[in-house]
Amino acid sequence: MSDVSDVDDVGDVSDAANPALPALPALVSPVSVTAGAVLHSADFILPRLLASGRDRVVLYAGVQINGTPHLGTNVTQTAAFLLAQAARERFGVRVLLRFGALDNSPYEVRTCPETGSLYERSFGYVLGEARVGELVGRHYGGLFDELSAATGVPYEVLTYTEQQAGRAFREEFLTSLGLMDTLRRTLAPSTGTVPVNFPCPRCGWAQKHGEQTELLSAGAREALFAAVCLEHGKYLVDVAPGTDAFIGLTTLHRNLLKERVAARDDALPVIVKGADWAPGCRLLDEAFLSYQGALPPPRVFTPVVLSDSGAKLSKTLIRQGTADLSEGTEPWMLDASAWPGSQREYARLLLGLVGRMLGEPRHFERGYTTREVARLIGRRLPGPSGGSG
């Protein structure tokens, strides 16, 4: 492992060579609790990297396919590319960025008229592999290619359908069933209920909360479940490394298994998530301790983009019209497809913006309102202050 060196600057959203362009406003942040201990946010992964002795790092992040991404999503993804670049250049390691595409998001939902139970069919089931690939390419392909070219960081995209079909994932699922007496109070501490659902093999509808899904038998190599379809009644599901049953899991259970699979790699896994994930990751870290000798992976939490109320940007709130956005918030901040320029220009703006945040932990360990983002990139939104958010 090489000595630590400074990371090359990927550039800013202004052009220093063109004196006609005004300098960008200063980024003002409170003092971080890590001040003096961490000089660059990539250094958060250094202790585990040194302890592991590994010379390769794989960073994991996610992509949603249930709608066009907003600025907050793209900030996290850009941060993942820049963190990977910084790890390579500061620590002399090989890097790869793996994105998990959540094609298990509900495409359509129905309510059972007799029980009131919700049933859903996923994007992956309804659209199929080819059309899901088209969606991922439409929402992220051009941007990711530009970010990869700018940082020199290679990336891969794997859908959840592909992930859960893998032998390692199914082995981890079966192991988690054997530990469920402990895991249920870390993955669902309030209720102790960690549901599993399986789509009906005939129509693809799955009971969202798995109320009527029953574990009949479980072992190290196979588990047998019974589930109920609102149209076709009861059906049996056999889960083993060689079967093709689709495994639907809660968010925390799913992420635990994905991280357990990542830990099997010969590279150091680093989890990159928005800062709103921090409370959930406390539970994931507790869940890891249920496995003898296991350590949670190193995590880096990226800045979130906020509305004026302090709530993070959310596709749901944006669709409902309850996001409390700053007056004049530009459409592309809410829908990346509304960006008026080229993908290269958008990537350049993101690299400049997130690069400034990443360079010093006090700028990285915080959120930014859309008003503050507009100020930082040299635009003005109408409002009471136009200043720091």
Side-chain angles (χ1 to χ4, degrees):
M1 192 176 300
S2 67
D3 292 335
V4 172
S5 59
D6 290 336
V7 182
D8 290 338
D9 187 0
V10 296
D12 213 330
V13 293
S14 64
D15 187 351
N18 186 349
L21 292 177
L24 290 174
L27 204 163
V28 181
S29 301
V31 174
S32 167
V33 296
T34 60
V38 182
L39 301 181
H40 189 285
S41 296
D43 295 341
F44 284 112
I45 72 174
L46 184 57
R48 190 70 63 82
L49 184 62
L50 294 173
S52 70
R54 298 178 184 180
D55 63 357
R56 194 165 72 92
V57 171
V58 177
L59 295 92
Y60 293 84
V63 298
Q64 288 279 359
I65 68 169
N66 60 347
T68 53
H70 53 66
L71 178 62
T73 300
N74 289 154
V75 163
T76 292
Q77 294 156 347
T78 303
F81 276 99
L82 289 173
L83 284 163
Q85 180 191 39
R88 183 189 65 218
E89 297 179 358
R90 293 176 79 83
F91 314 136
V93 294
R94 293 173 292 152
V95 295
L96 174 67
L97 187 50
R98 284 192 178 135
F99 288 103
L102 298 176
D103 63 341
N104 56 319
S105 298
Y107 184 88
E108 51 189 349
V109 179
R110 292 173 62 183
T111 302
C112 176
E114 296 180 1
T115 65
S117 294
L118 296 178
Y119 285 78
E120 60 186 30
R121 293 205 296 180
S122 69
F123 273 77
Y125 183 89
V126 175
L127 300 183
E129 181 180 355
R131 291 178 64 193
V132 166
E134 291 174 5
L135 265 184
V136 173
R138 184 190 315 159
H139 293 331
Y140 302 101
L143 175 62
F144 285 3
D145 287 345
E146 292 292 345
L147 294 175
S148 178
T151 59
V153 173
Y155 74 93
E156 301 173 346
V157 178
L158 196 67
T159 65
Y160 175 69
T161 295
E162 294 171 310
Q163 291 173 316
Q164 62 83 40
R167 183 179 188 88
F169 189 99
R170 288 167 183 265
E171 289 174 349
E172 291 294 344
F173 173 67
L174 294 172
T175 299
S176 74
L177 295 179
L179 297 171
M180 194 51 67
D181 283 346
T182 302
L183 287 176
R184 71 175 67 255
R185 286 303 176 184
T186 54
L187 298 179
S190 296
T191 66
T193 300
V194 184
V196 181
N197 66 54
F198 303 96
C200 173
R202 297 174 63 182
C203 64
W205 288 101
Q207 195 173 46
K208 180 177 176 62
H209 301 295
E211 302 98 320
Q212 295 171 281
T213 301
E214 181 183 2
L215 176 61
L216 302 178
S217 63
R221 298 184 178 181
E222 186 178 29
L224 183 65
F225 291 83
V228 176
C229 174
L230 81 169
E231 291 188 350
H232 301 107
K234 189 173 182 178
Y235 55 96
L236 297 179
V237 181
D238 182 25
V239 180
T243 63
D244 60 0
F246 183 96
I247 306 172
L249 302 172
T250 64
T251 300
L252 292 178
H253 195 182
R254 180 176 68 246
N255 276 266
L256 171 66
L257 300 191
K258 290 197 294 186
E259 293 180 6
R260 290 281 301 166
V261 171
R264 295 185 176 203
D265 200 335
D266 62 355
L268 178 71
V270 175
I271 311 302
V272 181
K273 292 183 179 295
D276 56 304
W277 252 96
C281 286
R282 290 204 305 263
L283 296 175
L284 286 181
D285 291 346
E286 289 288 337
F288 258 86
L289 300 181
S290 299
Y291 296 80
Q292 186 175 4
L295 285 175
R299 308 181 188 279
V300 182
F301 298 106
T302 68
V304 292
V305 179
L306 310 171
S307 67
D308 265 9
S309 70
K312 84 179 189 76
L313 287 189
S314 157
K315 286 197 292 292
T316 300
L317 296 184
I318 292 169
R319 285 195 299 266
Q320 294 174 346
T322 57
D324 191 25
L325 300 166
S326 305
E327 182 185 354
T329 295
E330 297 188 54
W332 60 266
M333 293 183 178
L334 311 180
D335 179 348
S337 67
W339 172 254
S342 67
Q343 286 281 17
R344 180 163 297 180
E345 291 168 336
Y346 185 50
R348 184 167 173 260
L349 179 143
L350 287 168
L351 288 167
L353 175 67
V354 181
R356 296 175 73 195
M357 298 174 180
L358 184 61
E360 190 173 337
R362 66 191 175 102
H363 298 325
F364 202 65
E365 299 172 4
R366 54 164 290 190
Y368 294 83
T369 63
T370 52
R371 186 183 307 280
E372 174 70 347
V373 170
R375 188 186 74 86
L376 291 175
I377 62 177
R379 301 175 186 233
R380 291 186 61 85
L381 297 183
S385 67
S388 179

